[in-house]
Amino acid sequence: MNRRTAIQQTTERLARAGVPSAGAEAEHLLAEILGCSRPALWLDAQRELSTAETSRWEDWTRQRELRVPLQHLTHCAPFLEWTFRVSPAVLVPRPETEELAIRASGLLRTREGAATGRPQRVLDFATGSGCLAIALALRHPSTVVEALDISAAALEIARDNAQRLGCDARIRFHLGDGFAALRGGTEVPGAWFDGIVTNPPYIPSAEIADLEPEVRDHDPRLALDGGADGLEFYQRLAHEAAAWLVPGGWLLAEFGDGQGPAIRALFQHPAWESAICEPDLSGRERMLLVWRSAA
Ligand SMILES: C[S@@+](CC[C@H](N)C(=O)[O-])C[C@H]1O[C@@H](n2cnc3c(N)ncnc32)[C@H](O)[C@@H]1O
């Protein structure tokens, strides 16, 4: 079988299985198997697949028909300029979270070089694969990064990613439920962080059943479920995060489409100043930026 036929057959099979953008998915799948870019596939479209390539192509096409995400077949996912290892224990990093990382990086940059006499300190709350913590550690070598998650299996992946990307010595990982994770053996004092970045679970529990199978059946439920209204973690952040920030410190958080007004309302509290919901590249409000009151 040649590359063109493989792409056509996968496209038809994935389209029948209800996979959105089946043609692009088919190209992506074959490009991963052959270790080339999608455009490169078409430069040599008549080239025959080897026996090993054909067998992997059949296996992966069958699994994609069953709606297993491609990242779970390749065990990796891109995030900004890096490749992260993923497993069923972690949320596959999403492109919208890259925007969160870029925004957090901008906030760190504005205070770089300020005469505070100490490095900046940032927390990735609910780190999963570690994508946010690691991106910030790599982009800001002088920043001290802490990361927490309730899932030991997720932290294992995050630590492995930090090691592979060469920044494990600069990130401390903490296991536990929310901020309680910071009260473990390596205690972090209160009012410690200049910034907190987070992409917490924010899907209302009852809506999980309606998500695409790739998300519903393959991302960990722990990474999706934001409680009855999806806002459980924002309630916790609104009540607890200010105590972990220095006066004037920032909290930057991703949230779901349509949750902006409710989230802004949660942060109408004297502990917080100027809650802004920022749009993503498609113009939808998806990010909260709020500062701890200076008082
Ligand atoms: C939406 S994922 C985000 C992962 C990663 N930051 C990203 O953006 O790809 C949310 C993460 O929150 C973690 N989590 C869920 N409940 C938690 C809790 N009570 N305390 C700490 N982390 C929690 C999950 O294990 C999961 O890794």
Side-chain angles (χ1 to χ4, degrees), residues 138-189:
L138 290 171
R139 284 201 171 177
H140 301 275
S142 63
T143 296
V144 173
V145 183
E146 315 268 348
L148 66 84
D149 204 286
I150 200 169
S151 159
L155 282 186
E156 200 180 306
I157 297 285
R159 278 199 187 92
D160 183 60
N161 278 321
Q163 194 177 17
R164 283 160 186 258
L165 292 165
C167 60
D168 52 315
R170 301 198 5 255
I171 305 177
R172 283 200 300 182
F173 291 98
H174 306 265
L175 175 65
D177 181 355
F179 289 106
L182 302 178
R183 301 261 187 229
T186 49
E187 185 140 329
V188 177

Side-chain angles (χ1 to χ4, degrees), residues 79 89-94 96-98 100 124-133 148-155 174-181 197-203 220-225 232-233 236 254:
F79 189 79
V90 297
L91 186 93
V92 171
R94 306 291 207 267
E96 52 268 40
T97 308
E98 293 180 330
L100 192 72
D124 176 11
F125 180 101
T127 194
S129 63
C131 56
L132 287 167
L148 66 84
D149 204 286
I150 200 169
S151 159
L155 282 186
H174 306 265
L175 175 65
D177 181 355
F179 289 106
V197 64
T198 181
N199 175 22
Y202 54 69
I203 314 282
R221 179 149 186 133
L222 201 53
L224 303 174
D225 195 341
E232 183 186 316
F233 284 88
R236 289 172 70 170
E254 183 175 317

Side-chain angles (χ1 to χ4, degrees), residues 63-64 66-69 72 87-92 212-221 224:
Q63 296 208 56
R64 278 302 284 128
L66 298 171
R67 309 295 298 267
V68 177
H72 285 196
S87 82
V90 297
L91 186 93
V92 171
E212 291 287 349
E214 285 86 348
V215 181
R216 182 191 65 211
D217 301 335
H218 297 282
D219 276 322
R221 179 149 186 133
L224 303 174

Side-chain angles (χ1 to χ4, degrees), residues 74-91:
T74 61
H75 307 294
C76 61
F79 189 79
L80 296 171
E81 58 266 49
W82 304 284
T83 299
F84 282 75
R85 190 180 142 222
V86 295
S87 82
V90 297
L91 186 93

